[in-house]
């Protein structure tokens, strides 16, 4: 009998290719299209960028004033914004971005960690260290025992409550594996100092899936489903993603989050890999994506991510023509804040500490203490200690810019009076999707979020903080407690305030996972 063909890593190529053939359901693309077109009209976007070059200060102020109503910006206004080069006018956009962040999200920052589960991938994205033909990449798919080991480090040694789990696209890491992984992560509850080390929200960054597969993730307790379009420019997308691969299908990816919404996952996350195409085009593409989600489901993205291209092992970047410099990158983040004002905004440790610090009053989430090698948290945990800065580049997708510990990052944030929120109450008590968006737009979610931020931050300080971080963090808590008291009865009824104080005292006494 003839042996089945195998790749150099021993894979059965026939079974991989028949799995690939089975993935895309054309009818789940067609149902969202308009007369055979998707919602990205390249020619129209390019024309608008060409035409909307000169914006007066008055018009700019008009545009920014509208953004304060916390509604999605229209295309014409976004086109004006992306064309601005004048430093003073950009500074006005930056200031509006900070005001909007403050209005919707206050001084809260959410922290999370990425957990890479698999580096096997059937695709050939030219910029990614995991692409199938990269011989320099060490391939690995974690077993459930290894997932558990990684989670122990993340939940008990570092103190994270929120993860984004990340996968290459491969039959060995397909939907059932992802669902099992979530189950394993949620099953870890470790005794730590005064309380418990556990992950309370698992977000997923994985390849586009069918509605049926997405329902499985919904039923497994997924937090947010993230799929980054990489670039909205059809032609550049085609050049970056070989056509004979799964990821080569632009529209299967473009409608991934529509399918997620249809499957019941109403917290979805858009993103774009800045550096591939003209960033002005991609910012307009992201806003168009948010608009089409609103059109179909009455709800935009829960978060927006802005990964910027980073060097990757075994990857030659000489073909990249659109690197984004630091000044433009900062401006991109500010424009997205005002253009999609209701969404959370995530900048990751791909960026250097100074860059993230300069954006901290615009963004809502950042990661901390991240290791992006597959299995890297366990490998970095040696002799009862987490080795600082431990990374394993041949097992990583790209290189990190900020490898500092969660404790240090929280201390830095507390020094500038930001409160780190470990709150995961939203999706666990049904405040997701439209419910949370309406609360955010009206400013009411901020009230709940502030109370939960104080409760969860106190919990973290008691269970994980170093002495120095705890001291500075307690200063922030005291200020917040005073500020909350001063908001009775305008923002909080006496009853809510009394019940909050009781919960706070319970946390200090050792009760855990209390939320409003
Ligand atoms: N494989 C899935 C996919 O492509 O959607 C999910 C995980 S992929 C590992 C996560 C994201 O990493 C990609 O969507 C891409 O935006 C980003 N990425 C890939 N290569 C990168 C690089 N060289 N620098 C920065 N980000 C990169
Ligand atoms: Fe695979 Fe995702 Fe990397 Fe593309 S970006 S090669 S799909 S892991």
């Amino acid at each position: 009998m003839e042996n089945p063909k195998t790749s150099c890593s021993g894979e059965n190529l026939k079974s991989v290719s028949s799995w690939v053939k089975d993935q895309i359901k054309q009818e789940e693309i067609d149902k969202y299209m308009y007369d055979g077109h998707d919602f990205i009209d390249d020619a129209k976007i390019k024309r608008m960028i060409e035409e909307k070059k000169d914006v007066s200060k008055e018009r700019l102020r008009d545009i920014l004033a509208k953004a304060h109503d916390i509604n999605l910006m229209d295309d014409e206004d976004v086109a004006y914004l992306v064309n601005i080069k004048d430093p003073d006018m950009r500074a006005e956009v930056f200031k509006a971005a900070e005001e909007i962040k403050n209005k919707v999200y206050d001084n809260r920052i959410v922290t999370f960690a990425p957990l890479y589960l698999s580096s096997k991938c059937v695709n050939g994205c030219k910029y990614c260290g995991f692409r199938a033909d990269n011989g320099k990449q060490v391939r690995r798919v974690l077993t459930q025992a290894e997932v558990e080991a990684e989670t122990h480090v993340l939940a008990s040694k570092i103190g994270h409550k929120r993860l984004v789990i990340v996968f290459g696209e491969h039959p060995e890491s397909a939907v059932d594996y992802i669902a099992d992984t979530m189950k394993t992560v949620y099953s870890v509850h470790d005794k730590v100092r005064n309380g418990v080390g556990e992950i309370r929200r698992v977000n997923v960054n994985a390849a586009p899936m069918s509605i049926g597969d997405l329902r499985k993730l919904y039923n497994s307790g997924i937090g947010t489903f993230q799929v980054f379009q990489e670039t909205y420019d059809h032609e550049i997308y085609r050049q970056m993603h070989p056509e004979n691969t799964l990821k080569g299908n632009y529209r299967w990816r473009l409608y991934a989050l529509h399918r997620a919404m249809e499957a019941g996952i109403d917290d979805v996350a858009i993103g774009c890999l800045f550096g591939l195409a003209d960033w002005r085009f991609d910012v307009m593409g992201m806003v168009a994506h948010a608009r089409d989600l609103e059109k179909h489901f009455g709800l935009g993205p829960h978060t927006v991510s802005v990964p910027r291209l980073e060097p990757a092992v075994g990857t030659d970047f000489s073909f990249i023509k659109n690197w984004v410099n630091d000044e433009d990158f900062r401006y991109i983040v500010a424009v997205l804040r005002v253009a999609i004002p209701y969404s959370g905004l995530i900048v990751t440790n791909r960026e250097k500490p100074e860059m993230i610090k300069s954006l901290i009053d615009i963004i809502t989430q950042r990661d901390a203490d991240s290791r992006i090698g597959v299995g890297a948290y366990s490998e970095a945990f040696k002799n009862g200690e987490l080795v600082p800065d431990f990374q394993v580049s041949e097992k990583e997708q790209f290189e990190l810019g900020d490898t500092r510990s969660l404790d240090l990052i929280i201390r830095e944030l507390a020094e500038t009076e930001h409160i780190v929120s470990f709150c995961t109450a939203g999706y666990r008590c049904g405040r997701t999707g439209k419910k949370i968006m309406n609360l955010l737009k009206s400013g009411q979610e901020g009230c709940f979020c502030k109370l939960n931020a104080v409760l969860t931050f106190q919990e973290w300080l008691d269970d994980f903080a170093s002495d120095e971080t705890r001291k500075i963090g307690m200063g922030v808590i005291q200020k917040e407690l005073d500020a909350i008291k001063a908001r009775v009865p305008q923002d909080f009824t006496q009853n809510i305030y009394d019940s909050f104080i009781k919960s706070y005292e319970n946390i200090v006494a050792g009760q855990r996972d209390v939320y409003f």
Side-chain angles (χ1 to χ4, degrees):
M1 203 174 84
E2 201 188 336
N3 280 335
K5 267 198 176 167
T6 55
S7 72
C8 38
S9 58
E11 276 169 5
N12 179 336
L13 290 179
K14 190 147 175 274
S15 65
V16 172
S17 71
S18 65
W19 177 83
V20 166
K21 275 203 201 97
D22 240 24
Q23 295 309 297
I24 295 178
K25 315 269 182 266
Q26 188 59 38
E27 67 282 9
E28 294 186 10
I29 298 175
D30 295 343
K31 65 193 293 188
Y32 304 113
M33 306 250 291
Y34 306 109
D35 294 330
H37 299 284
D38 61 55
F39 58 83
I40 298 293
D41 182 341
D42 295 55
K44 187 169 164 213
I45 293 179
K46 285 180 183 163
R47 198 171 54 244
M48 285 188 106
I49 292 174
E50 260 324 291
E51 284 170 5
K52 309 292 170 199
K53 282 226 159 94
D54 293 311
V55 61
S56 65
K57 285 210 164 162
E58 290 64 40
R59 182 72 212 272
L60 171 63
R61 281 166 198 161
D62 249 23
I63 294 172
L64 297 177
K66 276 190 277 172
H68 279 81
D69 295 336
I70 319 298
N71 288 320
L72 194 62
M73 193 172 278
D74 68 41
D75 289 343
E76 187 176 304
D77 290 352
V78 185
Y80 276 126
L81 291 192
V82 295
N83 270 314
I84 291 176
K85 290 205 176 70
D86 174 67
D88 291 340
M89 289 171 93
R90 280 191 169 192
E92 288 197 30
V93 177
F94 214 87
K95 184 165 163 280
E98 291 186 343
E99 287 164 3
I100 287 167
K101 151 83 196 281
N102 191 263
K103 183 171 180 180
V104 183
Y105 292 96
D106 203 349
N107 61 340
R108 295 188 308 279
I109 293 288
V110 163
T111 53
F112 67 94
L115 172 56
Y116 277 69
L117 278 311
S118 69
S119 50
K120 286 195 175 183
C121 190
V122 295
N123 292 311
C125 314
K126 294 207 168 138
Y127 46 81
C128 178
F130 286 177
R131 69 188 185 284
D133 68 1
N134 185 2
K136 293 253 164 61
Q137 184 70 235
V138 174
R139 306 289 167 173
R140 190 167 168 195
V141 178
L142 295 186
T143 62
Q144 293 307 319
E146 288 168 332
V147 174
E148 194 183 319
E150 293 283 277
T151 310
H152 285 303
V153 177
L154 282 155
S156 325
K157 307 302 171 200
I158 302 179
H160 279 295
K161 300 278 182 245
R162 190 185 274 256
L163 299 184
V164 54
I165 52 177
V166 187
F167 306 82
E169 184 165 25
H170 194 274
E172 285 178 45
S173 57
V175 66
D176 291 331
Y177 173 78
I178 297 177
D180 287 349
T181 305
M182 283 165 62
K183 205 164 145 203
T184 303
V185 170
Y186 281 133
S187 72
V188 169
H189 307 278
D190 292 332
K191 173 92 194 77
V192 292
R193 226 187 266 167
N194 297 330
V196 62
E198 63 189 4
I199 300 298
R200 297 179 185 155
R201 180 172 175 119
V202 180
N203 300 331
V204 174
N205 186 317
M209 285 172 221
S210 66
I211 297 171
D213 284 352
L214 288 159
R215 280 207 187 99
K216 289 189 186 172
L217 297 189
Y218 175 68
N219 291 329
S220 306
I222 188 175
T224 306
F225 184 56
Q226 304 185 328
V227 175
F228 304 158
Q229 185 61 25
E230 319 301 11
T231 175
Y232 289 88
D233 181 316
H234 284 82
E235 174 53 25
I236 294 190
Y237 188 95
R238 199 185 58 74
Q239 293 165 14
M240 298 296 154
H241 307 101
E243 246 154 329
N244 58 348
T245 60
L246 268 177
K247 192 149 165 183
N249 190 321
Y250 175 102
R251 287 176 177 164
W252 180 241
R253 196 165 184 88
L254 192 67
Y255 292 111
L257 302 175
H258 290 61
R259 297 193 295 280
M261 289 248 193
E262 196 164 331
I265 304 171
D266 50 10
D267 284 352
V268 298
I270 62 172
C272 195
L273 184 54
F274 284 99
L276 300 182
D278 177 349
W279 64 262
R280 298 172 304 165
F281 186 102
D282 276 332
V283 167
M284 293 199 61
M286 288 172 102
V287 176
H289 198 164
R291 180 164 302 109
D292 206 61
L293 287 168
E294 280 194 1
K295 214 180 252 175
H296 283 277
F297 305 98
L299 178 66
H302 182 66
T303 54
V304 171
S305 286
V306 286
R308 184 163 58 151
L309 206 55
E310 288 293 328
V313 69
T315 306
D316 168 20
F317 279 117
S318 55
F319 62 93
I320 296 289
K321 304 278 178 288
N322 289 299
W323 291 106
V324 174
N325 65 40
D326 284 355
E327 201 186 315
D328 283 345
F329 182 72
R330 265 191 211 99
Y331 186 60
I332 288 169
V333 178
V335 171
L336 284 168
R337 173 72 296 150
V338 297
I340 316 179
Y342 50 73
S343 296
L345 191 43
I346 303 177
V347 170
T348 68
N349 284 344
R350 288 176 181 83
E351 301 299 332
K352 300 227 159 27
E354 315 80 66
M355 171 58 79
I356 306 179
K357 200 170 178 188
S358 73
L359 293 171
I360 209 69
D361 289 320
I362 293 183
I363 63 171
T364 61
Q365 294 193 29
R366 61 158 304 167
D367 54 333
D369 234 334
S370 302
R371 309 286 191 286
I372 56 169
V374 178
Y377 292 101
S378 313
E379 285 180 38
F381 191 68
K382 294 199 167 57
N383 308 322
E385 297 249 326
L386 198 66
V387 181
D389 276 352
F390 179 91
Q391 308 288 333
V392 274
S393 73
E394 78 287 0
K395 289 188 204 154
E396 289 170 4
Q397 189 196 12
F398 50 80
E399 288 174 17
L400 286 180
D402 186 355
T403 53
R404 292 172 306 153
S405 71
L406 178 61
D407 187 78
L408 259 180
I409 286 171
I410 287 184
R411 190 184 313 162
E412 182 183 280
L413 287 167
E415 275 162 358
T416 49
E417 297 191 2
H418 295 89
I419 184 163
V420 170
S421 175
F422 289 90
C423 172
T424 52
Y427 88 109
R428 293 192 294 152
C429 50
R431 285 202 301 275
T432 59
K434 274 185 205 158
K435 277 192 211 135
I436 194 155
M437 280 300 162
N438 291 337
L439 288 168
L440 281 171
K441 285 183 186 179
S442 66
Q444 290 171 53
E445 175 63 6
C447 299
F448 282 112
C449 291
K450 182 49 78 72
L451 304 183
N452 287 331
V454 171
L455 297 178
T456 54
F457 190 42
Q458 181 69 53
E459 187 180 337
W460 191 87
L461 291 174
D462 288 348
D463 288 347
F464 297 102
S466 63
D467 291 346
E468 203 177 337
T469 300
R470 190 170 194 286
K471 203 165 113 212
I472 297 167
M474 285 308 295
V476 173
I477 293 262
Q478 195 48 56
K479 275 209 172 110
E480 296 291 355
L481 288 172
D482 294 344
I484 290 168
K485 190 170 184 187
R487 287 168 68 182
V488 178
Q490 319 82 270
D491 295 330
F492 303 110
T493 61
Q494 189 66 42
N495 268 352
I496 289 185
Y497 178 73
D498 291 346
S499 137
F500 163 70
I501 289 298
K502 181 119 201 44
S503 302
Y504 178 74
E505 286 164 359
N506 287 341
I507 293 272
V508 174
Q511 199 182 330
R512 290 293 173 260
D513 201 14
V514 180
Y515 52 83
F516 279 79

